[in-house]
mmCIF file of all heavy atoms in Angstrom:
data_model
loop_
_atom_site.group_PDB
_atom_site.id
_atom_site.type_symbol
_atom_site.label_atom_id
_atom_site.label_comp_id
_atom_site.label_asym_id
_atom_site.label_seq_id
_atom_site.Cartn_x
_atom_site.Cartn_y
_atom_site.Cartn_z
ATOM 1 N N GLN A 370 107.070 103.806 124.695
ATOM 2 C CA GLN A 370 106.598 102.855 123.648
ATOM 3 C C GLN A 370 105.313 103.375 122.890
ATOM 4 O O GLN A 370 105.272 103.360 121.648
ATOM 5 C CB GLN A 370 106.327 101.494 124.227
ATOM 6 C CG GLN A 370 107.526 100.804 124.829
ATOM 7 C CD GLN A 370 107.336 99.330 125.218
ATOM 8 O OE1 GLN A 370 106.335 98.755 124.796
ATOM 9 N NE2 GLN A 370 108.298 98.848 126.006
ATOM 10 N N PHE A 374 105.003 104.512 118.952
ATOM 11 C CA PHE A 374 103.908 103.978 118.038
ATOM 12 C C PHE A 374 103.179 105.163 117.387
ATOM 13 O O PHE A 374 102.876 105.140 116.211
ATOM 14 C CB PHE A 374 102.969 102.997 118.719
ATOM 15 C CG PHE A 374 103.601 101.748 119.069
ATOM 16 C CD1 PHE A 374 103.664 101.152 120.275
ATOM 17 C CD2 PHE A 374 104.063 101.016 118.016
ATOM 18 C CE1 PHE A 374 104.213 99.917 120.523
ATOM 19 C CE2 PHE A 374 104.671 99.775 118.212
ATOM 20 C CZ PHE A 374 104.730 99.268 119.433
ATOM 21 N N PHE A 377 105.316 106.488 114.606
ATOM 22 C CA PHE A 377 105.230 105.542 113.470
ATOM 23 C C PHE A 377 103.915 105.799 112.654
ATOM 24 O O PHE A 377 103.979 105.917 111.445
ATOM 25 C CB PHE A 377 105.081 104.075 113.949
ATOM 26 C CG PHE A 377 106.403 103.427 114.195
ATOM 27 C CD1 PHE A 377 106.613 102.757 115.542
ATOM 28 C CD2 PHE A 377 107.505 103.389 113.359
ATOM 29 C CE1 PHE A 377 107.766 102.140 115.826
ATOM 30 C CE2 PHE A 377 108.741 102.793 113.727
ATOM 31 C CZ PHE A 377 108.779 102.084 114.912
ATOM 32 N N GLY A 403 111.970 105.536 110.648
ATOM 33 C CA GLY A 403 111.260 104.377 111.300
ATOM 34 C C GLY A 403 112.311 103.573 112.012
ATOM 35 O O GLY A 403 112.132 103.035 113.066
ATOM 36 N N GLY A 404 113.456 103.412 111.409
ATOM 37 C CA GLY A 404 114.548 102.538 111.922
ATOM 38 C C GLY A 404 114.993 103.183 113.267
ATOM 39 O O GLY A 404 115.248 102.378 114.206
ATOM 40 N N GLY A 405 115.172 104.414 113.318
ATOM 41 C CA GLY A 405 115.542 105.185 114.590
ATOM 42 C C GLY A 405 114.555 104.875 115.620
ATOM 43 O O GLY A 405 114.887 104.659 116.792
ATOM 44 N N LEU A 406 113.234 105.042 115.310
ATOM 45 C CA LEU A 406 112.224 104.789 116.293
ATOM 46 C C LEU A 406 112.255 103.331 116.823
ATOM 47 O O LEU A 406 111.992 103.086 117.919
ATOM 48 C CB LEU A 406 110.844 105.198 115.713
ATOM 49 C CG LEU A 406 110.613 106.558 115.430
ATOM 50 C CD1 LEU A 406 109.249 106.711 114.751
ATOM 51 C CD2 LEU A 406 110.546 107.362 116.719
ATOM 52 N N LEU A 407 112.450 102.378 115.880
ATOM 53 C CA LEU A 407 112.682 100.986 116.303
ATOM 54 C C LEU A 407 113.754 100.805 117.372
ATOM 55 O O LEU A 407 113.609 100.116 118.347
ATOM 56 C CB LEU A 407 112.952 100.085 115.133
ATOM 57 C CG LEU A 407 111.810 99.363 114.418
ATOM 58 C CD1 LEU A 407 112.366 98.490 113.262
ATOM 59 C CD2 LEU A 407 111.018 98.470 115.381
ATOM 60 N N LEU A 408 114.881 101.484 117.169
ATOM 61 C CA LEU A 408 115.975 101.365 118.124
ATOM 62 C C LEU A 408 115.532 102.020 119.457
ATOM 63 O O LEU A 408 115.902 101.548 120.552
ATOM 64 C CB LEU A 408 117.230 102.181 117.579
ATOM 65 C CG LEU A 408 117.840 101.471 116.355
ATOM 66 C CD1 LEU A 408 118.987 102.413 115.821
ATOM 67 C CD2 LEU A 408 118.559 100.128 116.789
ATOM 68 N N LEU A 409 114.820 103.038 119.421
ATOM 69 C CA LEU A 409 114.284 103.762 120.618
ATOM 70 C C LEU A 409 113.380 102.736 121.407
ATOM 71 O O LEU A 409 113.392 102.702 122.582
ATOM 72 C CB LEU A 409 113.614 105.025 120.253
ATOM 73 C CG LEU A 409 113.356 106.161 121.222
ATOM 74 C CD1 LEU A 409 114.804 106.477 121.934
ATOM 75 C CD2 LEU A 409 112.821 107.368 120.699
ATOM 76 N N LEU A 410 112.436 102.097 120.615
ATOM 77 C CA LEU A 410 111.574 101.091 121.152
ATOM 78 C C LEU A 410 112.306 99.949 121.785
ATOM 79 O O LEU A 410 111.949 99.533 122.921
ATOM 80 C CB LEU A 410 110.743 100.491 119.931
ATOM 81 C CG LEU A 410 109.382 100.069 120.330
ATOM 82 C CD1 LEU A 410 108.537 101.144 121.024
ATOM 83 C CD2 LEU A 410 108.743 99.797 118.947
ATOM 84 N N ALA A 411 113.409 99.521 121.144
ATOM 85 C CA ALA A 411 114.276 98.351 121.648
ATOM 86 C C ALA A 411 114.888 98.890 122.947
ATOM 87 O O ALA A 411 114.858 98.129 123.916
ATOM 88 C CB ALA A 411 115.349 97.987 120.594
ATOM 89 N N GLU A 412 115.333 100.191 123.016
ATOM 90 C CA GLU A 412 115.989 100.587 124.258
ATOM 91 C C GLU A 412 114.938 100.763 125.332
ATOM 92 O O GLU A 412 115.287 100.341 126.527
ATOM 93 C CB GLU A 412 116.583 102.036 123.987
ATOM 94 C CG GLU A 412 117.377 102.516 125.113
ATOM 95 C CD GLU A 412 117.471 103.980 125.180
ATOM 96 O OE1 GLU A 412 116.595 104.723 124.696
ATOM 97 O OE2 GLU A 412 118.533 104.466 125.807
ATOM 98 N N SER A 413 113.785 101.134 125.016
ATOM 99 C CA SER A 413 112.771 101.265 126.127
ATOM 100 C C SER A 413 112.376 99.866 126.702
ATOM 101 O O SER A 413 112.086 99.710 127.758
ATOM 102 C CB SER A 413 111.544 102.070 125.699
ATOM 103 O OG SER A 413 110.886 101.364 124.764
ATOM 104 N N ARG A 414 112.350 98.881 125.753
ATOM 105 C CA ARG A 414 111.981 97.513 126.194
ATOM 106 C C ARG A 414 113.167 97.057 127.150
ATOM 107 O O ARG A 414 112.938 96.431 128.112
ATOM 108 C CB ARG A 414 111.977 96.544 125.006
ATOM 109 C CG ARG A 414 110.747 96.603 124.260
ATOM 110 C CD ARG A 414 110.756 95.552 123.144
ATOM 111 N NE ARG A 414 110.540 94.194 123.673
ATOM 112 C CZ ARG A 414 109.353 93.656 123.735
ATOM 113 N NH1 ARG A 414 108.291 94.210 123.271
ATOM 114 N NH2 ARG A 414 109.299 92.420 124.341
ATOM 115 N N GLY A 415 114.359 97.369 126.716
ATOM 116 C CA GLY A 415 115.506 97.025 127.643
ATOM 117 C C GLY A 415 115.371 97.560 129.056
ATOM 118 O O GLY A 415 115.720 96.879 129.992
ATOM 119 N N SER A 430 114.506 88.615 125.342
ATOM 120 C CA SER A 430 115.032 89.876 124.607
ATOM 121 C C SER A 430 114.966 89.660 123.123
ATOM 122 O O SER A 430 115.323 90.457 122.368
ATOM 123 C CB SER A 430 116.362 90.258 125.007
ATOM 124 O OG SER A 430 117.209 89.229 124.692
ATOM 125 N N SER A 431 114.417 88.519 122.633
ATOM 126 C CA SER A 431 114.492 88.246 121.241
ATOM 127 C C SER A 431 113.839 89.220 120.420
ATOM 128 O O SER A 431 114.283 89.711 119.400
ATOM 129 C CB SER A 431 114.092 86.763 120.848
ATOM 130 O OG SER A 431 112.697 86.651 121.155
ATOM 131 N N PRO A 432 112.542 89.780 120.797
ATOM 132 C CA PRO A 432 111.901 90.851 120.083
ATOM 133 C C PRO A 432 112.833 92.056 119.945
ATOM 134 O O PRO A 432 113.037 92.687 118.984
ATOM 135 C CB PRO A 432 110.646 91.042 120.782
ATOM 136 C CG PRO A 432 110.365 89.923 121.723
ATOM 137 C CD PRO A 432 111.673 89.333 121.902
ATOM 138 N N LYS A 433 113.481 92.305 121.118
ATOM 139 C CA LYS A 433 114.377 93.410 121.235
ATOM 140 C C LYS A 433 115.596 93.262 120.255
ATOM 141 O O LYS A 433 115.860 94.235 119.508
ATOM 142 C CB LYS A 433 114.897 93.612 122.677
ATOM 143 C CG LYS A 433 115.779 94.810 122.747
ATOM 144 C CD LYS A 433 116.421 94.899 124.141
ATOM 145 C CE LYS A 433 117.512 95.937 124.184
ATOM 146 N NZ LYS A 433 118.277 96.027 125.430
ATOM 147 N N GLN A 434 116.088 92.108 120.201
ATOM 148 C CA GLN A 434 117.288 91.965 119.298
ATOM 149 C C GLN A 434 116.860 92.118 117.915
ATOM 150 O O GLN A 434 117.602 92.761 117.122
ATOM 151 C CB GLN A 434 117.731 90.455 119.440
ATOM 152 C CG GLN A 434 118.427 90.209 120.718
ATOM 153 C CD GLN A 434 118.791 88.767 120.922
ATOM 154 O OE1 GLN A 434 118.467 87.942 120.056
ATOM 155 N NE2 GLN A 434 119.361 88.416 122.098
ATOM 156 N N TYR A 435 115.682 91.667 117.545
ATOM 157 C CA TYR A 435 115.172 91.811 116.114
ATOM 158 C C TYR A 435 114.774 93.178 115.767
ATOM 159 O O TYR A 435 114.989 93.720 114.740
ATOM 160 C CB TYR A 435 114.112 90.776 115.766
ATOM 161 C CG TYR A 435 114.544 89.379 115.709
ATOM 162 C CD1 TYR A 435 114.206 88.494 116.661
ATOM 163 C CD2 TYR A 435 115.441 89.024 114.669
ATOM 164 C CE1 TYR A 435 114.698 87.142 116.670
ATOM 165 C CE2 TYR A 435 115.948 87.679 114.689
ATOM 166 C CZ TYR A 435 115.590 86.841 115.669
ATOM 167 O OH TYR A 435 116.173 85.613 115.552
ATOM 168 N N MET A 436 114.333 93.901 116.787
ATOM 169 C CA MET A 436 114.061 95.360 116.612
ATOM 170 C C MET A 436 115.385 96.137 116.318
ATOM 171 O O MET A 436 115.403 96.999 115.546
ATOM 172 C CB MET A 436 113.446 95.887 117.933
ATOM 173 C CG MET A 436 111.992 95.797 118.119
ATOM 174 S SD MET A 436 111.525 96.581 119.612
ATOM 175 C CE MET A 436 109.938 95.844 119.892
ATOM 176 N N GLN A 437 116.369 95.773 117.140
ATOM 177 C CA GLN A 437 117.729 96.372 116.874
ATOM 178 C C GLN A 437 118.246 96.054 115.522
ATOM 179 O O GLN A 437 118.771 97.047 114.843
ATOM 180 C CB GLN A 437 118.670 95.912 117.974
ATOM 181 C CG GLN A 437 118.373 96.621 119.308
ATOM 182 C CD GLN A 437 119.354 96.120 120.389
ATOM 183 O OE1 GLN A 437 119.191 95.077 120.948
ATOM 184 N NE2 GLN A 437 120.477 96.978 120.671
ATOM 185 N N LEU A 438 118.013 94.900 115.061
ATOM 186 C CA LEU A 438 118.492 94.441 113.702
ATOM 187 C C LEU A 438 117.728 95.295 112.659
ATOM 188 O O LEU A 438 118.312 95.936 111.750
ATOM 189 C CB LEU A 438 118.304 93.021 113.496
ATOM 190 C CG LEU A 438 118.561 92.556 112.004
ATOM 191 C CD1 LEU A 438 119.976 92.656 111.645
ATOM 192 C CD2 LEU A 438 118.096 90.979 111.869
ATOM 193 N N GLY A 439 116.413 95.281 112.863
ATOM 194 C CA GLY A 439 115.522 96.005 111.881
ATOM 195 C C GLY A 439 115.829 97.472 111.887
ATOM 196 O O GLY A 439 115.976 98.151 110.815
ATOM 197 N N GLY A 440 116.087 98.075 113.036
ATOM 198 C CA GLY A 440 116.502 99.451 113.212
ATOM 199 C C GLY A 440 117.710 99.831 112.467
ATOM 200 O O GLY A 440 117.826 100.741 111.779
ATOM 201 N N ARG A 441 118.717 99.000 112.688
ATOM 202 C CA ARG A 441 120.037 99.157 112.039
ATOM 203 C C ARG A 441 119.926 99.128 110.485
ATOM 204 O O ARG A 441 120.458 99.975 109.757
ATOM 205 C CB ARG A 441 121.096 98.154 112.401
ATOM 206 C CG ARG A 441 121.576 98.243 113.783
ATOM 207 C CD ARG A 441 122.894 97.505 113.956
ATOM 208 N NE ARG A 441 123.062 96.217 113.114
ATOM 209 C CZ ARG A 441 122.652 95.000 113.749
ATOM 210 N NH1 ARG A 441 122.167 94.971 114.870
ATOM 211 N NH2 ARG A 441 122.818 93.887 113.050
ATOM 212 N N VAL A 442 119.197 98.092 110.010
ATOM 213 C CA VAL A 442 118.972 97.913 108.544
ATOM 214 C C VAL A 442 118.294 99.108 107.975
ATOM 215 O O VAL A 442 118.646 99.667 106.870
ATOM 216 C CB VAL A 442 118.406 96.568 108.194
ATOM 217 C CG1 VAL A 442 118.070 96.442 106.702
ATOM 218 C CG2 VAL A 442 119.356 95.442 108.634
ATOM 219 N N LEU A 443 117.232 99.592 108.630
ATOM 220 C CA LEU A 443 116.431 100.651 108.136
ATOM 221 C C LEU A 443 117.228 102.023 108.109
ATOM 222 O O LEU A 443 117.146 102.812 107.287
ATOM 223 C CB LEU A 443 115.116 100.880 108.887
ATOM 224 C CG LEU A 443 114.025 99.768 108.611
ATOM 225 C CD1 LEU A 443 112.860 99.950 109.585
ATOM 226 C CD2 LEU A 443 113.583 99.858 107.186
ATOM 227 N N VAL A 531 122.829 103.353 118.257
ATOM 228 C CA VAL A 531 123.526 102.172 118.026
ATOM 229 C C VAL A 531 124.845 102.150 118.687
ATOM 230 O O VAL A 531 125.330 101.155 119.269
ATOM 231 C CB VAL A 531 123.780 101.998 116.463
ATOM 232 C CG1 VAL A 531 124.700 100.745 116.066
ATOM 233 C CG2 VAL A 531 122.398 101.837 115.767
ATOM 234 N N PRO A 536 125.158 96.769 118.984
ATOM 235 C CA PRO A 536 124.246 96.183 117.899
ATOM 236 C C PRO A 536 123.144 95.218 118.296
ATOM 237 O O PRO A 536 122.222 94.986 117.504
ATOM 238 C CB PRO A 536 125.298 95.521 116.987
ATOM 239 C CG PRO A 536 126.281 95.074 117.941
ATOM 240 C CD PRO A 536 126.416 96.114 119.071
ATOM 241 N N GLY A 537 123.136 94.704 119.490
ATOM 242 C CA GLY A 537 122.151 93.796 119.975
ATOM 243 C C GLY A 537 122.560 92.352 119.539
ATOM 244 O O GLY A 537 123.576 92.097 118.964
ATOM 245 N N GLY A 538 121.679 91.476 119.904
ATOM 246 C CA GLY A 538 122.022 90.061 119.749
ATOM 247 C C GLY A 538 122.190 89.518 118.281
ATOM 248 O O GLY A 538 122.988 88.538 118.082
ATOM 249 N N VAL A 539 121.356 90.063 117.471
ATOM 250 C CA VAL A 539 121.383 89.496 116.094
ATOM 251 C C VAL A 539 122.455 90.269 115.327
ATOM 252 O O VAL A 539 122.234 91.155 114.549
ATOM 253 C CB VAL A 539 120.090 89.578 115.306
ATOM 254 C CG1 VAL A 539 120.099 88.837 114.062
ATOM 255 C CG2 VAL A 539 119.002 89.036 116.243
#
Side-chain angles (χ1 to χ4, degrees):
Q370 298 193 10
F374 286 125
F377 277 128
L406 288 176
L407 262 183
L408 290 169
L409 203 52
L410 209 52
E412 187 205 24
S413 69
R414 280 184 76 96
S430 61
S431 64
K433 180 184 169 185
Q434 292 175 359
Y435 290 112
M436 278 181 200
Q437 285 178 282
L438 172 67
R441 287 201 321 271
V442 171
L443 286 174
V531 173
V539 189

